[in-house]
Amino acid sequence: MRQIVNSKQMKYLDQLTLKEQEISSYELMLRAGSKVEEAMYIDALCDYSKLFVVVAGPGNNGGDALVVMRRLLERGAEAVLIQAFDLESATDEVKEAFQELIKLKPTIQKLTDEIDLEDVEQWLDYAGTIVDGLFGIGLTRNVTGIYHKLIQRINESFLDIISIDMPSGIHPDNGLVMGAAIQAKHTLVIQNIKQGHLLQDGPDYSGNLHIIDCNIMQCVFPEIQMHLDELYMIGKITPRKKNTHKYHYGSVVTIGGSKGMMGAPVLCAKATQKTGTGLSTILHHERYFKDAMMIDPSLLYNHYSSIEEIPALIRKATAIVFGPGLNKNDELNTKILQYLLKTQKPIVIDAGGLYYLKKLV
């Protein structure tokens, strides 16, 4: 179980680590880049017998890529660096990483104009893996110019692409493509999953997420977001005892459904049964009585016609789902959600329910 963060929170954690562990920004960069390359090798994410093309951009994500490049060469791999940054304007950490790298006399292809891009394409023809360190979580504007064209060429290569922390061009907070974005096969996430990995375009561009533990300090932010994986759930759901019955395992009420969309609350109610609830009830407006799919005898069905009926209908519920299959522009649904939010009962708002939630915030 790990906390999901946005870019501002991640930068805070980086600074907290520098302070608490009394290390320099370069030492943290060295740690991150080394851990990334180690994961690539140990987890066999790529073929070390083929050429690596390592793309390093102008920020500290590019610095991580420089460390990865150095580690690849030290391991005996063949690699070429695409230097997509001006060394004079680079950060001190990137300069230090670059100075350590050139001690190994690496092959470097600078990228400043269209002619350089043609040379980059020739390297791609011989490569097996591309390591993407072009942009990290610091990207704040759309990708344009030579960077836009470089990303297009990389995606068109159909090579295995490993992105460091975030696929370049994906917004770290909302997951949207910012002009152009790397289509990664694997993304090696530094310490914490970012919101952008999980939202909008993020999942389609991030590929397989691998969390790299770099011993970055953690703190709990006020609006905490957690990522749970299957391993976390092992042992959390205990087998039912023999001498029990359905009333010992809670009651979930699913409020939803409308004409042509009664399947949604049925599927939701079945899911609550599968995950352990004892009683699962579908609650819908009475106007959809004829549309209700009363085809499963293990589910309960009920209906309402006004807000005044809701309190009694949900009184025994231990949890509520609001939204699957709900139609829009029904003021009664707004009133129901307003009431539910005041009950202090655990509530999941999804599907059509999000439309009404948006109206209330």
Side-chain angles (χ1 to χ4, degrees):
M1 184 174 64
R2 289 179 180 268
Q3 187 172 196
I4 301 166
V5 299
N6 58 36
S7 56
K8 182 178 180 180
Q9 291 168 337
M10 192 66 225
K11 291 173 183 176
Y12 174 82
L13 294 178
D14 285 344
Q15 292 303 311
L16 180 64
T17 301
L18 301 183
K19 179 181 178 181
E20 294 296 324
Q21 297 182 7
E22 298 182 343
I23 61 173
S24 68
S25 182
Y26 173 69
E27 288 174 311
L28 184 58
M29 178 182 290
L30 183 61
R31 183 191 300 174
S34 299
K35 290 287 186 179
V36 165
E37 191 279 329
E38 184 179 83
M40 289 166 52
Y41 183 76
I42 293 176
D43 295 340
L45 300 182
C46 47
D47 188 347
Y48 268 67
S49 68
K50 296 182 179 180
L51 175 69
F52 285 87
V53 172
V54 180
V55 183
N60 281 357
N61 191 248
D64 293 339
L66 295 175
V67 176
V68 170
M69 173 77 176
R70 180 159 65 90
R71 294 298 188 187
L72 288 170
L73 296 177
E74 290 173 341
R75 202 179 289 276
E78 184 182 4
V80 58
L81 175 70
I82 307 302
Q83 183 185 336
F85 64 90
D86 178 12
L87 186 60
E88 292 184 1
S89 58
T91 64
D92 291 339
E93 295 82 10
V94 171
K95 290 178 179 177
E96 189 168 355
F98 188 80
Q99 292 303 319
E100 288 297 314
L101 174 62
I102 61 175
K103 293 177 182 179
L104 300 178
K105 299 180 180 180
T107 301
I108 298 176
Q109 173 64 60
K110 292 186 177 180
L111 178 68
T112 57
D113 54 31
E114 297 284 344
I115 297 177
D116 292 338
L117 191 58
E118 293 178 3
D119 293 332
V120 170
E121 290 176 343
Q122 293 181 15
W123 286 112
L124 296 179
D125 290 338
Y126 294 97
T129 301
I130 300 173
V131 178
D132 162 36
L134 188 57
F135 305 115
I137 64 173
L139 188 64
T140 57
R141 60 179 184 272
N142 278 357
V143 179
T144 59
I146 194 68
Y147 293 132
H148 188 288
K149 293 178 180 179
L150 174 62
I151 289 176
Q152 286 183 317
R153 299 296 192 279
I154 289 174
N155 288 339
E156 291 169 357
S157 71
F158 297 105
L159 298 173
D160 289 343
I161 304 173
I162 297 176
S163 287
I164 301 174
D165 201 25
M166 178 69 63
S168 294
I170 292 294
H171 194 289
D173 296 340
N174 61 34
L176 290 173
V177 173
M178 301 179 70
I182 291 291
Q183 185 75 58
K185 181 178 182 180
H186 301 282
T187 297
L188 276 60
V189 180
I190 305 298
Q191 200 69 44
N192 291 79
I193 291 177
K194 317 306 184 292
Q195 291 177 177
H197 291 127
L198 306 176
L199 299 176
Q200 316 231 43
D201 301 313
D204 292 324
Y205 282 78
S206 298
N208 301 309
L209 297 180
H210 306 262
I211 300 175
I212 308 302
D213 190 346
C214 299
N215 195 28
I216 293 175
M217 303 291 293
Q218 299 292 295
C219 70
V220 178
F221 294 102
E223 296 180 357
I224 187 170
Q225 306 174 90
M226 302 302 296
H227 182 264
L228 307 181
D229 58 25
E230 293 180 7
L231 293 177
Y232 174 80
M233 297 306 298
I234 294 176
K236 299 294 192 298
I237 301 177
T238 57
R240 290 185 176 183
K241 295 180 179 180
K242 301 298 183 182
N243 188 25
T244 58
H245 50 73
K246 59 187 177 184
Y247 294 106
H248 287 127
Y249 297 102
S251 171
V252 177
V253 173
T254 300
I255 302 175
S258 58
K259 186 174 180 61
M261 294 191 291
M262 288 304 300
V266 170
L267 291 173
C268 181
K270 289 297 293 179
T272 67
Q273 282 186 322
K274 191 173 182 62
T275 51
T277 189
L279 287 171
S280 185
T281 302
I282 296 174
L283 186 57
H284 59 84
H285 196 283
E286 65 175 7
R287 74 169 66 98
Y288 304 118
F289 184 81
K290 293 182 179 180
D291 300 289
M293 301 171 63
M294 299 182 186
I295 58 176
D296 192 323
S298 67
L299 298 177
L300 302 177
Y301 299 82
N302 214 329
H303 55 84
Y304 58 89
S305 60
S306 65
I307 185 64
E308 287 76 18
E309 298 174 65
I310 298 299
L313 292 170
I314 69 166
R315 182 169 56 85
K316 294 183 179 181
T318 50
I320 297 169
V321 181
F322 178 81
L326 276 184
N327 61 358
K328 297 181 179 179
N329 301 314
D330 188 334
E331 190 58 31
L332 178 55
N333 290 333
T334 303
K335 294 178 181 179
I336 292 173
L337 181 55
Q338 286 178 315
Y339 172 75
L340 295 177
L341 293 173
K342 296 176 182 178
T343 64
Q344 303 301 311
K345 290 180 181 288
I347 178 172
V348 174
I349 303 171
D350 193 17
L354 298 175
Y355 169 83
Y356 293 99
L357 179 63
K358 186 176 180 180
K359 294 176 64 175
L360 298 178
V361 296

